[in-house]
């Protein structure tokens, strides 16, 4: 809500005993002056009223609010302090609000909730709102509506659309009851001109409320991804609000969710942004939202470079808005004063940086992505998904140029380092050490936020710690629906606690600024984090931790084929480094690989291409990396190459040779990795067959068993590389052989 809900509602004390006619008249005059925007007169009436009744704190509260409006709502700090002092004065605490005696303090609570809302302290605002909601009956209709609208907005900001829809149903009932009451009152004074004016005014208010209810419903259905219900509500929104910017943004969001990206762009372009009242009046920078939404749509279309262009535009607009607000604040020392209260929510910098980071990671610019995400994580430090993305930036930045070098496999670069001497003294120097075993640390602390493997390990540890234990997860699985992503305004850092407090029905882990993690997404995220942790531990030479992570990964109940394959490879590599070759051989059994698909069905994945008026994005459809086996056959061949290496370490050369040639028969000749050719050279040298070893190096092929391709050979799939972009595959097992 950009509600200026801190409206002073004079308690109409005329009904209670002990209130003089003079006080009634002053109260009515003060309220009328306030309503017409004449705050000085209103304050004079309130001063006179306070002299007659010095004990009533509500008069002081109304004075404070009139002062606040007189300053064009720019003295939020002062109002906050005044309300807190009043709360102490009446010894009122929301937690103790348990009966109708406390209802008269409800306006004080409501005004405090409004301030919490604008300070992004959503959990505190929800706690107050839910208490007020319990005592909705005695409130006058307008105030009951205001409480409900505030709570609806808070629920949508904290991704609780089911609760928001329940409240919207209550609001619709209130509207119907209000219409009935108004009808009776109208029948009583139909001859009165004033009555007719009141009715016209009332109808206008009710129409505005209905339009707002429809818009909130669309936002809730979008978060629930309930497209049929959303389509119905979109029609109501277009009928009541016409082609206004909010309604077109919502319709564009709906089309985006349906996958009609061109239509979504068309709708955004047709919205008349110039007509929007502006950030000083509404607290919303529509231009910033417009560019952000275009970025989200192009991200979903896979046009990442265009997406980043639009996100940068959105960041520029946001910076421009913040600069404008800084000028208006006239250098006020207090951070909440000097600008209208509604504009406290205007800065979307960190949500936009999050979007930029994810987009840059997809383009293949991990260092630029790291810079964006490291800034975002300072605000969203409780988001496990964001810590994983940071670790992925570190991994991608440190995997070196091996991918570029090995695109044209096989090349002798991976096998022959150099040739020295001539004639009889000519020597071939073989590549001896895999670049993947390089030491990453250069003596600085691992906690310094740079894109290093040590920092990746810390990020992954944070991500794992932020995920709940399995036992808690199972207990909390009640009626949570498919991943709810995409509302229309983002939650912020303070919303983190809001989701997890006081909810029985729909437990989830908040992951601001993207959507919360439901049960299935949590499991997928846990698997991804464990796979990355095993890879990073191997890269850092921490084999015990790598084995621990790989074994935990293989124990997960719902594990995608690709991660199971990686789990076995990482576990085997760690075991070989620990000299537990028999255990490694068990992991390298080709029968362990039955599937190499990259994930589970799209609605279950931990993705978050969210969209709304200004929503963060996560991942859209992932493409198989070039270095990744594209079929079960090539994955099994890779297992066999590694198995041959393990047998070789136990001096079982015949078994190693069989594995090597069996693997070579399963893939195209050009798909055989250089490590496998080095292993063949080593085996021939062990046999004393120097000439054949030289022939293998010269031809860059396995000889003599694989001179002709077997019938199993498939069309050339994507070439194998030892390293995969985000969860690369390492095979230092070969390296060990070369060092022998």
């Amino acid at each position: 809500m950009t509600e200026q809900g801190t409206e002073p509602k004079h308690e109409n004390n005329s009904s209670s005993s002990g209130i003089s006619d003079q006080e009634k008249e002053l109260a009515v005059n003060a309220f009328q002056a306030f309503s017409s925007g004449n705050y000085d007169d209103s304050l004079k009436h309130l001063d006179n009223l306070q002299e007659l009744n010095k004990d009533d704190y509500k008069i002081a509260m109304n004075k404070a609010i009139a002062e606040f409006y007189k300053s064009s709502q720019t003295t939020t700090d002062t109002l906050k302090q005044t309300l807190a002092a009043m709360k102490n004065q009446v010894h009122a605490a929301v937690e103790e609000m348990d009966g109708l005696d406390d209802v008269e303090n409800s306006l004080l609570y409501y005004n405090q909730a409004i301030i919490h809302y604008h300070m992004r302290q959503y959990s505190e605002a929800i706690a107050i709102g839910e208490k007020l909601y319990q005592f909705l009956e005695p409130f006058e209709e307008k105030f009951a509506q205001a409480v409900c609208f505030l709570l609806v907005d808070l629920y949508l900001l904290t991704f609780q659309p089911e609760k928001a829809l329940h409240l919207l149903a209550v609001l619709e009932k209130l509207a119907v009851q209000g219409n009935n009451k108004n009808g009776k009152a109208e029948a009583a004074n139909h001859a009165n001109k004033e009555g007719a004016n009141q009715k016209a005014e009332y109808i206008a208010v009710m129409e505005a409320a209905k339009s707002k209810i429809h818009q909130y419903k669309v936002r809730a259905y979008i978060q629930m991804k309930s497209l049929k219900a959303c389509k119905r509500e979109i029609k109501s929104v277009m009928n009541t609000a016409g082609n206004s910017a909010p309604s077109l943004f919502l319709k564009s969001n709906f089309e985006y969710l349906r996958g009609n990206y061109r239509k979504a762009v068309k709708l955004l372009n047709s919205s008349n942004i110039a007509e929007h009242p502006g950030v000083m009046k509404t607290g919303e920078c529509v231009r910033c939202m417009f560019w952000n939404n275009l970025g989200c749509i192009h991200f979903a279309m896979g046009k990442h470079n265009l997406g980043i262009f639009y996100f940068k535009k959105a960041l520029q607009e946001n910076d421009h808005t913040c600069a404008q607000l800084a000028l208006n604040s006239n250098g006020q020392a207090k951070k909440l004063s000097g600008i209208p209260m509604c504009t406290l929510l205007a800065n979307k910098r960190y949500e936009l940086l999050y979007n930029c980071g994810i987009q840059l990671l997809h383009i293949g610019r991990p260092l630029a992505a790291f810079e964006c995400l490291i800034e975002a994580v300072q605000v969203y430090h409780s988001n496990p998904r964001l810590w994983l993305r940071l670790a992925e930036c570190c991994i991608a930045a440190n995997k070196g140029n091996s991918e570029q070098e090995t695109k044209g496999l096989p090349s002798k670069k991976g096998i022959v380092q150099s040739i020295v001497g001539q004639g009889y003294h000519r020597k071939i120097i073989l590549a001896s050490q895999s670049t993947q075993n390089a030491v990453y640390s250069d003596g600085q602390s691992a906690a310094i936020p740079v894109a290093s493997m040590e920092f990746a390990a810390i990020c992954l540890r944070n991500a794992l710690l932020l995920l709940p234990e399995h036992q808690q997860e199972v207990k909390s699985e009640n009626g949570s629906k498919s991943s709810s992503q995409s509302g229309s305004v983002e939650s912020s850092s303070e919303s983190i606690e809001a989701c997890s407090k006081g909810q029985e029905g729909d437990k989830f882990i908040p992951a601001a600024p993207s959507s919360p993690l439901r049960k299935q997404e949590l499991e997928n995220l846990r698997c991804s984090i464990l796979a990355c942790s095993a890879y990073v531990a191997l890269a850092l030479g921490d084999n015990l931790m790598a084995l621990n992570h790989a074994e935990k990964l293989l124990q997960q109940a719902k594990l995608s084929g690709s991660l199971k394959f990686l789990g076995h490879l990482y576990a085997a590599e760690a075991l070989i480094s620990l000299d537990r070759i028999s255990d490694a051989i068990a992991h390298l059994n080709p029968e362990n690989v039955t599937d190499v698909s990259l994930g589970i069905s799209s609605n279950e994945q931990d993705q978050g291409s969210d969209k709304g008026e200004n929503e963060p994005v996560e991942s859209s459809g992932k493409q198989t990396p070039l270095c990744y086996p594209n079929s079960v056959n090539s994955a099994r061949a890779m297992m066999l190459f590694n198995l041959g290496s393990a047998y070789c370490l136990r001096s079982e050369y015949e078994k190693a040779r069989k594995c090597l040639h069996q693997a070579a028969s399963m893939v195209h000749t050009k798909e055989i990795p250089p490590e496998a050719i080095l292993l063949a050279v080593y085996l021939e040298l062990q046999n004393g067959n120097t000439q054949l070893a030289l022939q293998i190096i010269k031809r860059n092929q396995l000889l003599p068993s694989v001179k002709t391709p077997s019938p199993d050979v498939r069309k050339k799939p994507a070439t194998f590389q030892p390293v995969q972009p985000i969860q690369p595959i390492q095979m230092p097992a070969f390296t060990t052989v070369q060092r022998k």
Side-chain angles (χ1 to χ4, degrees):
M1 273 161 99
T2 44
E3 68 287 304
Q4 308 309 331
T6 39
E7 196 177 306
K9 305 204 177 82
H10 271 277
E11 317 291 316
N12 200 349
N13 291 330
S14 53
S15 56
S16 45
S17 55
I19 297 219
S20 66
D21 287 344
Q22 188 188 359
E23 284 177 309
K24 281 185 220 169
E25 193 184 335
L26 281 169
V28 169
N29 289 344
F31 184 65
Q32 282 174 351
F34 178 87
S35 302
S36 60
N38 196 344
Y39 304 123
D40 288 326
D41 284 2
S42 180
L43 282 165
K44 279 177 195 167
H45 292 308
L46 286 168
D47 283 334
N48 295 337
L49 189 59
Q50 201 168 23
E51 282 173 24
L52 296 172
N53 188 348
K54 288 184 179 171
D55 299 330
D56 194 348
Y57 81 91
K58 291 166 197 158
I59 299 169
M61 180 172 75
N62 283 334
K63 269 183 74 177
I65 290 171
E67 291 278 7
F68 176 65
Y69 269 75
K70 186 183 169 186
S71 73
S72 305
Q73 302 172 36
T74 57
T75 53
T76 312
D77 254 331
T78 314
L79 181 62
K80 184 187 172 203
Q81 286 160 10
T82 311
L83 292 176
M86 282 174 194
K87 190 175 167 184
N88 294 336
Q89 182 190 329
V90 296
H91 308 295
V94 177
E95 296 74 37
E96 295 159 18
M97 184 176 173
D98 54 2
L100 294 179
D101 305 339
D102 289 304
V103 170
E104 62 177 38
N105 296 329
S106 55
L107 273 166
L108 173 61
Y109 295 137
Y110 174 76
N111 288 337
Q112 279 200 309
I114 289 287
I115 288 178
H116 284 310
Y117 169 90
H118 284 97
M119 290 172 67
R120 303 181 193 236
Q121 295 168 347
Y122 301 132
S123 48
E124 287 87 342
I126 285 176
I128 296 171
E130 285 178 345
K131 276 289 181 188
L132 289 174
Y133 178 69
Q134 290 172 15
F135 302 101
L136 211 58
E137 287 297 318
F139 296 155
E140 63 176 74
E141 187 191 332
K142 198 175 174 189
F143 182 57
Q145 263 194 358
V147 169
C148 287
F149 273 129
L150 174 63
L151 259 182
V152 166
D153 215 334
L154 287 163
Y155 283 146
L156 288 174
L157 284 170
T158 52
F159 295 95
Q160 301 175 66
E162 294 88 352
K163 288 187 176 184
L165 284 170
H166 169 72
L167 270 182
L168 289 166
V170 172
L171 275 164
E172 283 181 322
K173 278 183 196 166
L174 282 174
V176 171
Q177 288 167 8
N179 277 338
N180 294 344
K181 281 182 198 168
N182 195 57
K184 287 173 191 170
E186 185 56 31
N189 69 19
H190 57 88
N192 192 337
K193 269 188 182 178
E194 207 176 295
N197 290 342
Q198 277 179 349
K199 187 184 179 190
E201 194 182 307
Y202 183 81
I203 287 171
V205 168
M206 290 317 292
E207 281 304 311
K210 274 183 193 170
S211 176
K212 200 188 267 188
I213 288 170
H214 287 309
Q215 287 188 18
Y216 277 128
K217 275 190 171 180
V218 171
R219 284 175 56 187
Y221 286 133
I222 281 172
Q223 280 194 15
M224 291 166 70
K225 292 198 164 54
S226 178
L227 296 182
K228 278 187 182 174
C230 189
K231 190 174 184 179
R232 194 171 55 244
E233 286 302 325
I234 284 277
K235 284 180 182 169
S236 307
V237 167
M238 298 313 282
N239 290 338
T240 53
N243 285 344
S244 64
S247 57
L248 286 168
F249 270 55
L250 285 171
K251 193 171 182 186
S252 167
N253 193 349
F254 168 67
E255 294 297 345
Y256 163 86
L257 279 183
R258 290 173 74 190
N260 297 341
Y261 302 126
R262 288 181 185 282
K263 193 169 181 187
V265 171
K266 200 174 177 183
L267 283 162
L268 275 180
N269 286 327
S270 66
S271 59
N272 193 346
I273 296 171
E275 284 179 7
H276 192 266
V279 73
M280 300 307 279
K281 290 199 174 92
T282 63
E284 291 173 338
C285 175
V286 181
R287 287 180 185 281
C288 174
M289 294 173 188
F290 173 78
W291 293 118
N292 177 76
N293 288 3
L294 276 178
C296 290
I297 295 167
H298 284 88
F299 174 86
M301 292 164 83
K303 297 180 178 179
H304 300 304
N305 284 299
L306 258 180
I308 196 70
F309 170 76
Y310 290 127
F311 284 141
K312 281 180 179 171
K313 282 259 193 191
L315 266 171
Q316 284 166 9
E317 282 294 341
N318 189 69
D319 292 345
H320 175 66
T321 301
C322 293
Q324 232 181 323
L325 293 174
L327 281 174
N328 287 352
S329 70
N330 300 324
Q332 289 269 1
K334 294 178 181 176
K335 67 171 184 174
L336 298 180
S337 292
I339 53 171
M341 183 168 70
C342 65
T343 60
L344 294 174
L345 292 168
N347 187 4
K348 306 292 183 196
R349 177 172 176 77
Y350 295 99
E351 290 91 329
L352 291 167
L353 282 170
Y354 181 92
N355 284 1
C356 283
I358 300 299
Q359 191 82 277
L360 286 163
L361 193 54
H362 275 262
I363 295 171
R365 291 172 60 193
L367 289 172
F370 183 84
E371 293 304 320
C372 292
L373 295 179
I374 203 73
E375 202 173 328
V377 87
Q378 292 170 33
V379 174
Y380 303 117
H381 43 74
S382 301
N383 182 349
R385 205 192 259 146
L386 179 49
W387 285 110
L388 172 64
R389 298 290 169 252
L390 270 169
E392 287 176 344
C393 290
C394 298
I395 292 169
N398 280 286
K399 75 176 193 301
N401 297 323
S402 53
E403 188 175 338
Q404 285 75 25
E405 283 176 12
T406 51
K407 271 183 183 168
L409 266 180
S411 80
K412 289 191 183 178
K413 278 186 187 173
I415 300 165
V416 178
Q417 193 172 312
S418 63
I419 296 171
V420 293
Q422 286 181 344
Y424 184 74
H425 299 288
R426 189 164 177 265
K427 300 277 190 297
I428 294 172
I429 299 172
L430 299 181
S432 61
Q433 178 84 18
S434 166
T435 52
Q436 290 171 3
N437 290 339
V439 177
Y440 291 98
S441 172
D442 53 359
Q444 66 179 11
S445 163
I448 293 171
V450 291
S452 66
M453 291 302 254
E454 289 82 0
F455 188 69
I458 291 173
C459 294
L460 292 164
R461 208 172 308 142
N462 288 350
L464 272 177
L465 286 169
L466 286 166
L467 294 181
E469 292 300 316
H470 284 290
Q471 292 78 8
Q472 294 171 6
E473 236 175 271
V474 174
K475 282 178 196 168
S476 67
E477 173 213 357
N478 300 330
S480 62
K481 304 216 171 179
S482 68
S483 64
S484 102
Q485 256 128 345
S486 181
S488 72
V489 190
E490 324 67 348
S491 56
S492 189
S493 52
E494 289 295 331
S495 71
I496 302 268
E497 309 100 58
C499 305
S500 40
K501 289 186 183 174
Q503 297 165 36
E504 292 86 41
D506 51 348
K507 295 282 175 91
F508 51 79
I509 302 300
S514 56
S515 56
L517 296 159
R518 306 284 167 161
K519 185 172 184 294
Q520 181 57 55
E521 294 171 296
L522 272 173
E523 289 177 12
N524 295 341
L525 188 61
R526 192 188 301 279
C527 293
S528 297
I529 293 169
L530 286 169
C532 271
S533 300
Y535 174 74
V536 169
L538 282 172
L540 293 171
D542 191 349
N543 298 307
L544 270 174
M545 278 309 290
L547 180 61
N548 182 18
H549 290 312
E551 284 178 343
K552 268 190 197 164
L553 173 65
L554 293 169
Q555 285 163 14
Q556 299 302 308
K558 288 193 177 177
L559 187 59
S560 69
S562 59
L563 291 183
K564 187 180 176 188
F565 166 63
L566 289 177
H568 283 299
L569 271 184
Y570 294 162
E573 185 173 327
L575 285 163
I576 284 175
S577 298
L578 294 166
D579 205 22
R580 289 166 56 186
I581 295 166
S582 300
D583 295 338
I585 285 171
H587 278 288
L588 291 171
N589 182 353
E591 298 306 313
N592 288 339
V593 185
T594 51
D595 172 31
V596 285
S597 59
L598 283 179
I600 303 155
S601 63
S602 58
N603 64 334
E604 289 177 336
Q605 281 186 344
D606 61 326
Q607 301 177 349
S609 332
D610 332 21
K611 271 261 349 65
E613 289 172 30
N614 189 344
E615 266 295 310
V617 296
E618 271 293 325
S619 143
S620 64
K622 295 177 183 173
Q623 294 178 340
T624 310
L626 275 173
C627 55
Y628 194 79
N630 64 338
S631 67
V632 174
N633 221 27
S634 51
R636 285 183 173 177
M638 200 180 293
M639 282 290 211
L640 282 164
F641 285 135
N642 281 298
L643 185 57
S645 185
Y647 279 133
C648 197
L649 288 170
R650 289 210 307 202
S651 302
E652 295 181 18
Y653 302 124
E654 207 44 54
K655 282 186 182 176
R657 190 176 279 104
K658 275 183 186 169
C659 287
L660 198 57
H661 292 307
Q662 189 186 338
S665 70
M666 293 166 74
V667 292
H668 195 282
T669 321
K670 289 186 177 174
E671 239 185 293
I672 297 168
E675 292 91 341
I677 290 169
L678 278 173
L679 179 58
V681 170
Y682 178 77
L683 289 170
E684 295 307 332
L685 289 172
Q686 278 291 340
N687 258 1
N689 211 337
T690 316
Q691 285 307 312
L692 189 55
L694 283 169
Q695 284 300 311
I696 290 172
I697 293 169
K698 199 177 279 184
R699 297 196 191 180
N700 213 23
Q701 283 181 340
L702 295 185
L703 301 171
S705 312
V706 235
K707 282 182 180 170
T708 54
S710 89
D712 269 328
V713 172
R714 312 170 66 85
K715 277 191 178 175
K716 181 187 174 186
T719 54
F720 165 77
Q721 296 163 354
V723 185
Q724 177 199 357
I726 289 191
Q727 290 148 352
I729 299 156
Q730 287 181 302
M731 299 194 290
F734 297 131
T735 320
T736 326
V737 177
Q738 297 147 24
R739 282 200 297 267
K740 249 187 158 187

